[in-house]
Amino acid sequence: MHFAKFSRRARMELIPCLREGELLVHTYGRFKKEGKELPIILVNANFFHLDGGYSISGMKYSDGTVIERSLGGFYVYQDMDGEVRIDTIKDKKISDFAGACWALESSPLLLPVLEASVHMEAAIATEAHPRTAIGLTDDSVILAVTDGRPAGLTCYALADLLRKAGCHTALNLDGGRSSQLVIRGKQMNRQWMRRKVFAALAVYN
């Protein structure tokens, strides 16, 4: 398990990658080539919409782009005061976060209690897979990413680790081959086969 910890008021953005998806080390390289500000941390965001397509759901990017589709899950967002929060009320809509800097929907909620969206397959929570999650302590954000297969955790085990790390609220993000934690351009978790992702959370200095 790899952890990254930073202030809940650190500048974060929810950014789209290329339309056809992108490995996050390539996102970092593209930003560098284009002369953009480089994030300290990049991590994969939420799941694809579970309808066989490649669309991601329930997201408001930092550039104002809004995707209205919903998985009936839970939202992590950064409010207008710059604080990262996780809303523990299920079935809200992205329109409820119109005033947020950015927001993204995912499932299952890991803490304070494990609760999944009705649209999530049961195996996602109960089987051991590579995982990505975001958790909150009173003053910090913790990003947690496991190594690739055969390593993996159930959502129950992931929730327990985040609780021991001091989190009171936590949300599961996309996992499996999508799990990627990139710090200053280097992927920290070992992943034998990576999947291109369509959105990422970026943390800036």
Side-chain angles (χ1 to χ4, degrees):
M1 176 69 75
H2 305 265
F3 292 98
K5 184 177 181 179
F6 49 92
S7 168
R8 285 180 63 170
R9 292 188 175 274
R11 183 161 66 88
M12 293 185 71
E13 290 187 358
L14 176 60
I15 59 171
C17 300
L18 297 177
R19 289 180 62 85
E20 63 269 25
E22 194 170 48
L23 300 178
L24 294 186
V25 290
H26 295 165
T27 302
Y28 185 92
R30 176 168 59 87
F31 282 8
K32 188 173 184 178
K33 184 176 181 180
E34 294 172 355
K36 293 182 178 179
E37 182 181 5
L38 295 176
I40 297 173
I41 301 169
L42 283 168
V43 70
N44 54 288
N46 70 344
F47 286 89
F48 304 132
H49 199 275
L50 300 183
D51 60 1
Y54 290 98
S55 178
I56 46 183
S57 63
M59 304 182 78
K60 176 187 176 184
Y61 290 120
S62 301
D63 65 2
T65 302
V66 171
I67 298 175
E68 291 284 359
R69 304 175 74 183
S70 176
L71 287 172
F74 303 87
Y75 283 87
V76 56
Y77 65 101
Q78 190 162 34
D79 65 24
M80 293 305 289
D81 292 327
E83 185 161 353
V84 178
R85 300 179 180 275
I86 295 174
D87 196 298
T88 59
I89 300 174
K90 188 166 56 175
D91 294 330
K92 284 195 172 182
K93 304 296 183 185
I94 191 65
S95 56
D96 293 325
F97 301 90
C101 298
W102 54 264
L104 72 91
E105 181 189 26
S106 196
S107 183
L109 184 72
L110 298 170
L111 296 173
V113 294
L114 188 69
E115 185 175 358
S117 160
V118 295
H119 298 284
M120 302 299 291
E121 299 172 13
I124 291 177
T126 59
E127 292 182 357
H129 294 288
R131 301 282 179 184
T132 302
I134 184 168
L136 303 179
T137 70
D138 288 340
D139 56 7
S140 299
V141 177
I142 293 179
L143 297 173
V145 181
T146 67
D147 286 333
R149 293 184 175 89
L153 294 171
T154 66
C155 281
Y156 298 97
L158 179 59
D160 188 54
L161 281 176
L162 288 166
R163 185 181 291 108
K164 290 176 179 176
C167 295
H168 53 68
T169 315
L171 181 65
N172 183 62
L173 300 177
D174 197 5
R177 291 188 291 118
S178 295
S179 290
Q180 296 164 48
L181 175 63
V182 173
I183 298 180
R184 299 189 186 277
K186 179 181 178 182
Q187 182 165 327
M188 307 306 294
N189 62 309
R190 296 184 296 278
Q191 186 71 291
W192 69 275
M193 185 181 292
R194 296 172 292 182
R195 179 188 292 123
K196 293 179 180 180
V197 299
F198 294 81
L201 283 170
V203 184
Y204 292 87
N205 189 5

